[in-house]
């Protein structure tokens, strides 16, 4: 946990020294965040480590008012273009500070569906190795999943509980394709709190706490 906290801080401070936050880094060089466009355009896909992610933005009734965009994190099942499973998503504000982890319904991203234990096991292997400008972003996301591992596991188990309750009243396909249900479970987070607890700091470093640029 401490190593993950230190990695999160190191990456954010590297960007902060250039006047950037994680939201700007996530755009992969784009000058504007276009609704629904993936950043990078063809995702970061690391088949060797069975990991994939992208950043984008779009409207949702469940989105926090301060949300700039969010990452979607996946595990790769095979090498085919549709052989993936969504794990979890992470919202950022415009400064690049995390707002919440959330889990979506199947129709949102497509791909395979698995129970919480399978997804949690896959999450421990999430470690995308990217090239170029997205390499530090991949490092940061890997560290974030370690730092918040317990939080994400609880979130996925709550998702399964919600799904079980819903499937007692509707069939699976009707629920998984229900466009009125995009986010199944979510949890707000404080990165400052997690960093301080994991690393034993009295308070987080100023560059991480503020990111005013």
């Amino acid at each position: 946990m401490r190593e993950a906290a230190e990695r999160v801080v190191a990456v954010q401070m590297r960007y902060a020294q250039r006047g950037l936050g994680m939201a700007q880094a996530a755009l992969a060089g784009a000058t504007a965040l276009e609704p629904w466009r993936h950043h990078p355009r063809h995702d970061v896909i690391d088949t060797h480590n069975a990991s994939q992610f992208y950043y984008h933005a779009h409207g949702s009734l469940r989105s926090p008012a301060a949300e700039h965009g969010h990452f979607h994190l996946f595990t790769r099942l095979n090498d085919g273009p549709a052989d993936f499973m969504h794990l979890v998503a992470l919202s950022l504000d415009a400064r690049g500070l995390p707002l919440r982890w959330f889990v979506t319904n199947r129709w949102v991203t497509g791909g395979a569906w698995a129970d919480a234990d399978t997804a949690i096991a896959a999450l421990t292997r999430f470690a995308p190795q990217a090239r170029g400008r997205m390499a530090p972003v991949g490092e940061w996301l890997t560290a974030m999943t370690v730092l918040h591992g317990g939080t994400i596991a609880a979130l996925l188990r709550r998702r399964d509980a919600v799904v079980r309750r819903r499937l007692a009243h509707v069939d699976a396909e009707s629920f998984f394709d229900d466009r009125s249900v995009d986010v199944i479970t979510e949890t707000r987070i404080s990165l400052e709190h997690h960093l301080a607890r994991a690393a034993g700091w009295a308070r987080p470093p100023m560059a991480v706490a503020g990111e005013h640029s």
Side-chain angles (χ1 to χ4, degrees), residues 53-211:
F53 72 87
Y54 63 82
Y55 186 78
H56 75 166
H58 56 83
S60 169
L61 294 176
R62 297 287 294 272
S63 298
E67 180 175 305
H68 175 268
H70 53 267
F71 289 101
H72 283 290
L73 280 56
F74 304 86
T75 187
R76 299 294 305 181
L77 304 176
N78 292 294
D79 292 336
D83 293 332
F84 59 86
M85 180 177 71
H86 187 256
L87 298 173
V88 69
L90 176 63
S91 294
L92 303 183
D93 68 15
R95 298 176 299 164
L97 295 178
L99 296 172
R100 62 170 181 159
W101 290 101
F102 63 99
V103 183
T104 60
N105 202 352
R106 188 183 65 184
W107 68 265
V108 175
T109 60
W113 183 270
D115 62 20
D117 287 342
T118 301
I120 291 165
L123 192 71
T124 65
R125 300 188 293 273
F126 180 81
Q129 300 296 308
R131 294 182 178 180
R133 68 170 75 243
M134 296 304 286
V137 178
E139 292 178 23
W140 184 81
L141 285 172
T142 300
M144 286 288 287
T145 62
V146 175
L147 186 64
H148 295 92
T151 297
I152 300 170
L155 185 67
L156 286 163
R157 292 192 173 103
R158 281 201 288 118
R159 178 208 65 177
D160 279 12
V162 170
V163 172
R164 283 194 298 270
R165 290 197 297 270
R166 294 295 297 271
L167 296 188
H169 303 284
V170 300
D171 65 90
E173 290 307 309
S174 294
F175 174 73
F176 289 133
D177 290 333
D178 186 348
R179 264 41 181 186
S180 70
V181 182
D182 53 355
V183 174
I184 300 178
T185 51
E186 63 182 337
T187 185
R188 301 295 180 97
I189 58 172
S190 167
L191 179 58
E192 298 164 334
H193 171 76
H194 276 83
L195 289 175
R197 185 177 65 179
W201 295 317
R203 58 179 297 178
M206 186 61 65
V208 174
E211 287 195 5

